[in-house]
Amino acid sequence: MEDLTEVYNELIMEHSMNSYNKKKLEKVDYCEIGHNPNCGDEITLEIKLKGDTIEDMAFSGHGCAISQASTSIMIDTLKGKTLEQAREIIKTFIDMIKREETNEEQLKKLEDAVAFKNVSNMPARVKCALLAWHTLEDLLNKK
């Protein structure tokens, strides 16, 4: 059986190199730019809502493998969720990275985003993994 860390690493690499979420949406309800001056990662998140539900999301920009993969996996995780569910998942992800949330039941709602759990062991990479999540959190707080 493959080691879970290896599976997560493959998932992160796949999303960083071949993200189908890296595109422009035709119609956008909200757009937010996130920037990490420490390493130069920069993303633009686009969101299309249908009522109170995230109908579609996309991103553009550049950065390290972790920031790009985290953005792509966040989009996969949150697409189709209500804004309330999205806020809860964002909080859980941020708390996981800060090592404040370790309950496996709570972490299940993160789906593939749980792949970033070990980033908390790499302080230099924490901001990379959190960039998209904080950017979306900022966007939702303005709404």
Side-chain angles (χ1 to χ4, degrees), residues 4 10 25 37 73 81-82 85 104 108-109 132-133 136:
L4 203 52
E10 286 174 20
L25 297 180
I73 290 172
K81 304 283 193 297
T82 66
Q85 289 170 319
E104 291 301 321
K108 278 183 185 171
K109 70 175 86 160
W133 299 81
L136 184 56

Side-chain angles (χ1 to χ4, degrees), residues 58-74:
F59 78 104
S60 56
H62 56 85
C64 69
I66 290 183
S67 75
Q68 299 293 287
S70 183
T71 305
S72 181
I73 290 172
M74 178 191 75

